[in-house]
Amino acid sequence: MKQNNNSRLQERVITPFDDILGEEIVDETARRTGTSAASLFLFTKNDISRLQSLIEATTRPSYSCGPPKKIGTKAQGKLKADEWKAGIEFELTVYLMKEWYSQDTSTIGNDEGRALRHGLAVSTIHLACAVRQATSYITSPSHQASCTAHMRLYLASLLKYRPDIPLRPCHHNAQHFPDFLPRFGPSPGWWMFPFERVNGLLQQVNTNGKQGQSSILSLA
């Protein structure tokens, strides 16, 4: 018998892990009610400007370049996977916790906009927690369980707070990702970033529209 996607995703299987980013506030999720304000455009130009300022003011370790300072502009273009990962794990999450998350939920009242922002901020925390566990350089059954739980709660929050956005195949695939951690070990050992980098180098080669006619092709 098939279960309803919504009810299946809302199963609460979180267990405490002290080293998880934002673990102390994830209990706030799913307590907000659905709202008709879900179709509103919430992330304004002012939000983007302040997020850019936060990125510029952030000091990162040398091994982490972080998201681009001009994120969200046409000039910046599309973000790479590593840039999305860096932004979601820190800058975007910190910004939403400072600006959108209300510690005292009783003050939100009937303000649909604030309630929705609060819910989406917690939703982003779930995504950040799932990404952190999925991309850790060590893995364990705890990492697998935590990644699965946070990803389910993130997807459940999407269905709840943004019913206008349909779930996509990548959301389905993300629920299977934790199953690979105990089989293949930490994902940095088998993820596709090195191959994507090679693809990026190949795309920069000037073939003059005559692929296959060059006798020698070398990449420095």
Side-chain angles (χ1 to χ4, degrees):
M1 180 181 297
K2 292 185 178 180
Q3 289 181 310
N4 180 274
N5 287 338
N6 202 346
S7 62
R8 183 171 67 252
L9 288 173
Q10 289 181 353
E11 293 177 358
R12 187 169 183 78
V13 291
I14 283 257
T15 54
F17 299 96
D18 293 336
D19 62 336
I20 294 178
L21 173 67
E23 188 67 34
E24 67 275 8
I25 65 170
V26 297
D27 288 339
E28 296 293 332
T29 192
R31 298 203 300 186
R32 315 300 324 159
T33 57
T35 173
S36 60
S39 60
L40 295 177
F41 182 72
L42 295 174
F43 212 77
T44 64
K45 290 183 179 180
N46 184 48
D47 285 312
I48 293 177
S49 177
R50 295 167 72 176
L51 176 61
Q52 291 171 348
S53 299
L54 175 63
I55 293 173
E56 190 169 4
T58 300
T59 301
R60 282 181 165 270
S62 58
Y63 60 81
S64 176
C65 61
K69 297 178 180 179
K70 296 301 180 181
I71 186 173
T73 62
K74 290 184 179 180
Q76 175 58 49
K78 294 182 178 180
L79 270 64
K80 298 179 180 178
D82 198 45
E83 294 172 334
W84 273 117
K85 175 179 176 293
I88 290 174
E89 281 189 322
F90 187 73
E91 278 90 353
L92 179 60
T93 307
V94 169
Y95 177 80
L96 293 179
M97 289 299 102
K98 290 173 59 178
E99 304 295 335
W100 285 20
Y101 178 78
S102 174
Q103 197 72 26
D104 183 7
T105 55
S106 64
T107 63
I108 294 179
N110 295 323
D111 188 335
E112 289 186 336
R114 289 184 62 195
L116 183 56
R117 284 175 173 83
H118 176 94
L120 291 176
V122 176
S123 173
T124 305
I125 278 287
H126 284 307
L127 178 60
C129 291
V131 169
R132 178 173 177 178
Q133 298 303 297
T135 60
S136 172
Y137 284 88
I138 59 174
T139 192
S140 67
S142 295
H143 285 78
Q144 180 189 14
S146 177
C147 182
T148 300
H150 282 294
M151 183 55 64
R152 286 182 177 178
L153 288 173
Y154 167 67
L155 295 179
S157 67
L158 285 185
L159 293 172
K160 186 172 193 176
Y161 297 115
R162 295 305 306 269
D164 55 312
I165 299 179
L167 296 184
R168 302 182 182 278
C170 62
H171 294 127
H172 173 85
N173 295 339
Q175 295 183 81
H176 291 286
F177 188 91
D179 297 335
F180 294 107
L181 297 178
R183 298 180 182 181
F184 303 116
S187 61
W190 46 271
W191 63 20
M192 299 300 293
F193 284 143
F195 300 95
E196 293 293 339
R197 179 166 294 185
V198 172
N199 288 340
L201 291 173
L202 292 175
Q203 290 173 355
Q204 297 174 23
V205 175
N206 184 9
T207 63
N208 197 27
K210 298 180 181 179
Q211 296 183 5
Q213 297 185 26
S214 176
S215 58
I216 297 178
L217 177 62
S218 63
L219 298 175

